[in-house]
Amino acid sequence: MIKSILSRAVQSHKLEEEEIILLLTAEGKDKERLFEKADFIREKYLENKVFLRGIIEFSNYCRRNCFYCGLRRDNKNLIRYRLKAEEIIEMAVQGVMLGYKTIVLQSGEDDFYDGDIIAWIIKKIKEKADTAITLCLGERDYYEYKLWKESGADRYLLKHETSNRTLYHKIHPGMKYEERITRLKWLKDLGYQIGSGNIIGLPGQDIKDLARDILLFKELDVHMVGIGPFISHYQTPFASSKNGSIDLTLKTIAITRLLMPRVHLPATTALGTLDPSGRKKALLAGGNVIMPNITAAEYRSLYEIYPGKISTDEKNTHCPNSITKLIKSLDREVGIDYGHSPKGNNFA
Ligand code: 5AD
Ligand code: SF4
């Protein structure tokens, strides 16, 4: 049964919801076969390159109150910080000198930075350094997204987190599922390469929701999908909930690879946080991207979306470190170009 589902997925890159559910519940030999097929598709379409994206977490202020996240506005026990525009630009330029060809600018939803200042930061980075820029700044106005695209931004990450509307509304007070999806469509229409993603093991989520998440990634035809396990944070309403499953996360990554052969799939930090070999396992189950944190050391521990978030010696790509060693040990190589989406929407 699983074998025939897998061989059809490898050929057509299409599956029904029920078939995805069967793969998500695969165990033993069947599970290994799923990972092998995902690895096969990854190699067939994307060869052996692993792309690195250097992340700068420039502000941990957030106006939102997501039930799972340590940066939520009601968490009064967190020391908040904001980097100045010049510091962000400097950090980005340094990141490019360290070898990154994509810089990700990430923050909580922080209106302190208006549309114009973000546009200025993007322009300055592009003037000073040869890099692609990904933004991950949450929900903003159409005209801000448009301005940032015109200022040189290449990509935008906005995870839909869960496709279960009822659950989405319960855990994201004041937010609307439809507005999230509308924004992903705007961003795509504006010419961004877009990234979505979900959290595996959210309290109240079931296996059907995960199958629908995968079908939604495909329907939205996103360029990148960030899939990570839920990690319980002690200063949130989900303090006593249990963490998401590594295995289920890996299976979700693998099925997404089968259905979206050219999509970028990061081996997420959340996976590496829950399991020391989590990122390796993800690279062997369809993953092809790693996003090391290049924020200055003094701010790292304050960007605590979940506890224990790893940030290691992974900054400099020119000399061997844990990430480049991992990539080599798997007989892969670090991608040396921008790593734009090979799906061919906007870029050569
Ligand atoms: N566990 C796992 N992922 C989390 N995120 C936020 N909090 C958690 C958590 N407790 C993820 C969300 C968000 C990204 C910035 O971090 O998916 O999009
Ligand atoms: Fe803010 Fe993002 Fe955390 Fe939600 S997940 S509280 S929007 S930083």
Side-chain angles (χ1 to χ4, degrees), residues 62-66 68-73 107-109 161 172 175 303 305:
C62 191
R63 69 190 175 105
R64 301 294 195 185
N65 230 350
C66 308
Y68 45 83
C69 179
L71 305 195
R72 65 200 305 274
R73 68 163 186 269
S107 68
E109 288 201 15
E161 316 291 3
H172 297 108
M175 294 171 75
Y303 207 88
I305 46 185

Side-chain angles (χ1 to χ4, degrees), residues 46-63:
L46 302 167
E47 301 168 357
N48 274 327
K49 285 184 201 160
V50 176
F51 290 103
L52 301 181
R53 323 297 202 187
I55 304 195
I56 299 172
E57 296 162 338
F58 64 85
S59 161
N60 70 353
Y61 281 84
C62 191
R63 69 190 175 105

Side-chain angles (χ1 to χ4, degrees), residues 69-121:
C69 179
L71 305 195
R72 65 200 305 274
R73 68 163 186 269
D74 282 356
N75 183 6
K76 307 289 184 211
N77 295 313
L78 181 66
I79 299 167
R80 306 275 172 170
Y81 71 90
R82 280 187 180 116
L83 299 190
K84 293 196 186 72
E86 291 77 10
E87 289 177 287
I88 300 169
I89 296 162
E90 179 58 28
M91 237 178 251
V93 171
Q94 268 179 28
V96 178
M97 281 177 355
L98 291 174
Y100 291 96
K101 299 294 277 178
T102 292
I103 297 296
V104 183
L105 301 179
Q106 183 167 49
S107 68
E109 288 201 15
D110 186 359
D111 288 334
F112 174 85
Y113 301 87
D114 63 17
D116 289 336
I117 191 74
I118 297 289
W120 186 76
I121 292 168

Side-chain angles (χ1 to χ4, degrees), residues 24 27 31 199-202 205 207 210 227-231 242-252 271 274-275:
L24 285 169
E27 287 303 334
K31 184 179 73 182
I199 304 179
I200 309 292
L202 283 167
Q205 182 189 53
I207 206 90
L210 296 183
I227 298 168
F230 164 70
I231 303 176
K242 71 174 187 355
N243 291 336
S245 144
I246 302 276
D247 244 28
L248 196 52
T249 306
L250 293 170
K251 287 189 258 188
T252 308
L271 256 178
L274 275 194
D275 176 348

